[in-house]
Amino acid sequence: NRTMEPIKAGVEKVKETVQGSTAQAKFEKAKDPAVKPEKRVDAALDAGEKERIALCLDNATWHNKLTEESVIPKRASAKGEIQQWLKDRKINFSEKFVKAQLLQLVGANCPPKEYISDHIGKKYGIEIFRLPKLHCSLNPIELSWNNLKQFVRDQNTTFRQDDVKQLIEQFMVAMDDKRATSYFHHVRGIEEMFKTADAIMEENIESHLQSDSEETDSDEE
């Protein structure tokens, strides 16, 4: 048995080396911009838990689809649907309540929003980040779209669909870590600028503004 211990240790060492090399190869594949996005995600998942994975999602509808438990009735919902939603959750209400009153009960008892994409990400150990709504200047992908469109405009000479598709693919292949990171650095600079502007507003401007009630009181005097 003692003579076998060094052999076993050697075998385990070889296994670790092979597995480590395989994981590293898959991780490199996950970072390779020439590989299709779905293949890059698969490679990243197969690389193991040594590298954390994060996905930055924009506000596309399919990214923010709620789980069935998080969906609540809306104004467009039929009165019967709202009543059934309340009954399913054992929330008492009067049968005489009109639709507006029922919706108030829904609002007071609505569950926290949970997204299907978050559940899927959690299942595979992926952290999900969401970009702020209605702030294109804070969305790094907008810089990428702008550069892509500019690249196509500058290089497009035939105006044929196949050639435009090829130009788009060329741009995507050239998208490396350095360029993608620069987009985030740019957005971070804008975010800091907004924070500075907010601080100036709070310290130097808002303190000198009168509320509506103060203006009314001064007018009456």
Side-chain angles (χ1 to χ4, degrees), residues 137-154:
S137 58
L138 295 177
N139 290 357
I141 196 172
E142 296 296 339
L143 292 171
S144 180
W145 286 128
N146 181 67
N147 288 348
L148 169 60
K149 289 185 286 186
Q150 187 64 50
F151 175 79
V152 172
R153 278 196 295 265
D154 293 342

Side-chain angles (χ1 to χ4, degrees), residues 110-151:
C110 63
K113 289 184 178 181
E114 293 184 349
Y115 301 100
I116 295 176
S117 54
D118 287 345
H119 282 221
I120 296 174
K122 186 176 181 180
K123 177 181 178 181
Y124 292 100
I126 299 174
E127 191 169 359
I128 302 294
F129 293 93
R130 282 186 161 74
L131 298 174
K133 294 182 179 180
L134 306 177
H135 283 78
C136 59
S137 58
L138 295 177
N139 290 357
I141 196 172
E142 296 296 339
L143 292 171
S144 180
W145 286 128
N146 181 67
N147 288 348
L148 169 60
K149 289 185 286 186
Q150 187 64 50
F151 175 79

Side-chain angles (χ1 to χ4, degrees), residues 9-114:
V11 171
E12 292 300 323
K13 188 68 175 179
V14 171
K15 284 184 178 180
E16 290 178 5
T17 303
V18 172
Q19 290 173 353
S21 300
T22 303
Q24 182 63 28
K26 290 180 178 179
F27 181 62
E28 293 299 328
K29 181 179 179 181
K31 296 193 299 180
D32 187 354
V35 178
K36 291 183 178 181
E38 61 270 21
K39 298 295 184 182
R40 293 170 66 180
V41 172
D42 290 341
L45 292 173
D46 292 339
E49 299 180 354
K50 292 183 179 180
E51 301 293 340
R52 294 181 61 192
I53 303 172
L55 290 180
C56 188
L57 302 183
D58 59 16
N59 294 288
T61 304
W62 50 89
H63 290 163
N64 296 322
K65 189 173 180 60
L66 294 171
T67 61
E68 186 175 348
E69 295 77 13
S70 300
V71 177
I72 63 174
K74 300 180 180 179
R75 290 184 180 180
S77 302
K79 183 177 180 180
E81 293 177 3
I82 303 173
Q83 290 174 326
Q84 188 59 50
W85 187 90
L86 294 170
K87 289 178 181 178
D88 291 343
R89 287 153 184 79
K90 297 180 172 55
I91 301 172
N92 297 324
F93 61 91
S94 171
E95 293 295 334
K96 296 181 180 180
F97 274 7
V98 297
K99 190 174 178 179
Q101 292 173 307
L102 294 173
L103 286 173
Q104 285 182 344
L105 278 178
V106 171
N109 295 276
C110 63
K113 289 184 178 181
E114 293 184 349

